[in-house]
Amino acid sequence: MTEWWSYRPSDFLMFSSRVYYRQIESYNISLWPLHLLMLLVGIGLIWLLARGRSNDSRLIAIVLAGLWLFVGWAYLWSRLSSINWAATYLAYGFAAQAILMLAVLVFPRTIKNTSVRGSVGLALMAMAVLLYPGLAFFAGRGWGTAEVFGMMPDPTAVASMGFLVSARHRYDVILFVIPTLWCVVSSTTLYTMAYPIWWFPFAMCVVGLAAAVAR
C-alpha cells in the first residue's frame, strides 16, 4: 500500500485543465454581458474605498457580501460542482463569508487609506478588478476564460482582502480566514494544472496578510 506522504496534489485533481478552462469559458458566455456591470461595480467600490467615508465602508461590505453569495451559487455550486464534488462545500464557505461580513462590518466607520496599509489595500482591490481579467490573456488562455471580479472566486477574494486591509475593525481578523484558504486552494489547483501564473492568488494573499499584520 502506497504511503500517504507519497501523494502529490495532482493525485487529487478530479479534472483536466482543458475541462476546467472550457467550463470557465462556458460560464462566461452564459452570463455575458454581466461582466461589464461587474467591472463598473468594481470601479465604483475602488472609488468608494479611495474616498474613505465611514458610510462607504458599510456599503462596500454589503456589496462584497452579495458578490460572495453570487459567486458561491453561480459558479461553485452551479458550475464547478459538476466536475469537483468539493465545490459544493466551498460554496457553503462563500455563503459563510458573506454572513460574516454582514455581521462584523454592520456599523459605519471611517476608512483612512492614506497610510501604507491603506494604499496596499486599495492597490489589491484595483488589481483584482482591473488586472485579473487580463491574466488569462497573458497566460495564453484567451479572453474567453477571463476571471472577472464579482463572477469568479479569485478576484473576488483578493478584492475583499484589499478592502479588509483598509477597513479597520477589532473583529475583522476572522474575515481573512476564508479568503486566505481560498487563495491557497486556488494556487494549489492552478499549480497542479501547470498554469504559469499559479502563484498569483497566493502572492496577493500574502501581501494582504502582511499589510493587515502591520497594523
Side-chain angles (χ1 to χ4, degrees), residues 3 14-15 31 50 68 80 97 116-117 123 130 143 150 162 168 204:
E3 301 295 343
M14 293 174 281
F15 47 84
L31 293 181
W68 276 85
L80 189 60
Q97 178 69 12
V116 173
R117 57 178 174 268
L130 304 175
W143 290 108
R168 302 174 187 177
M204 294 298 97

Side-chain angles (χ1 to χ4, degrees), residues 147-167:
E147 298 183 48
V148 177
F149 163 77
M151 296 179 62
M152 290 295 291
D154 286 13
T156 304
V158 172
S160 297
M161 292 194 72
F163 167 63
L164 294 173
V165 169
S166 294

Side-chain angles (χ1 to χ4, degrees), residues 3 7 22 37 85 105 115 148 155 186:
E3 301 295 343
Y7 285 94
R22 280 186 175 178
L37 175 61
W85 60 267
L105 304 176
S115 64
V148 177
S186 178

Side-chain angles (χ1 to χ4, degrees), residues 16-180:
S16 67
S17 59
R18 173 179 290 185
V19 170
Y20 178 72
Y21 295 132
R22 280 186 175 178
Q23 189 185 67
I24 294 178
E25 186 174 13
S26 174
Y27 173 71
N28 283 334
I29 292 174
S30 67
L31 293 181
W32 176 263
L34 184 60
H35 307 69
L36 301 179
L37 175 61
M38 289 301 180
L39 177 61
L40 293 177
V41 170
I43 293 174
L45 294 182
I46 294 171
W47 176 73
L48 290 174
L49 188 61
R51 189 170 68 169
R53 296 180 181 176
S54 58
N55 288 333
D56 294 342
S57 168
R58 186 171 184 271
L59 179 57
I60 294 172
I62 292 173
V63 173
L64 287 176
L67 294 179
W68 276 85
L69 280 175
F70 176 75
V71 173
W73 169 76
Y75 179 69
L76 295 177
W77 181 279
S78 302
R79 293 278 179 167
L80 189 60
S81 61
S82 64
I83 61 174
N84 183 2
W85 60 267
T88 300
Y89 299 97
L90 294 172
Y92 289 133
F94 271 57
Q97 178 69 12
I99 295 172
L100 286 172
M101 292 192 74
L102 292 176
V104 175
L105 304 176
V106 62
F107 297 109
R109 67 192 183 285
T110 301
I111 295 178
K112 298 179 180 180
N113 64 339
T114 55
S115 64
V116 173
R117 57 178 174 268
S119 300
V120 171
L122 188 62
L124 282 176
M125 179 173 281
M127 284 191 290
V129 173
L130 304 175
L131 177 62
Y132 230 99
L135 294 181
F137 176 78
F138 289 111
R141 283 171 23 204
W143 290 108
T145 59
E147 298 183 48
V148 177
F149 163 77
M151 296 179 62
M152 290 295 291
D154 286 13
T156 304
V158 172
S160 297
M161 292 194 72
F163 167 63
L164 294 173
V165 169
S166 294
R168 302 174 187 177
H169 193 285
R170 62 182 299 183
Y171 301 113
D172 64 0
V173 62
I174 64 175
L175 298 179
F176 283 90
V177 175
I178 293 177
T180 298

Side-chain angles (χ1 to χ4, degrees), residues 2-8 11:
T2 305
E3 301 295 343
W4 65 267
W5 55 78
S6 66
Y7 285 94
R8 296 173 298 175
D11 295 323

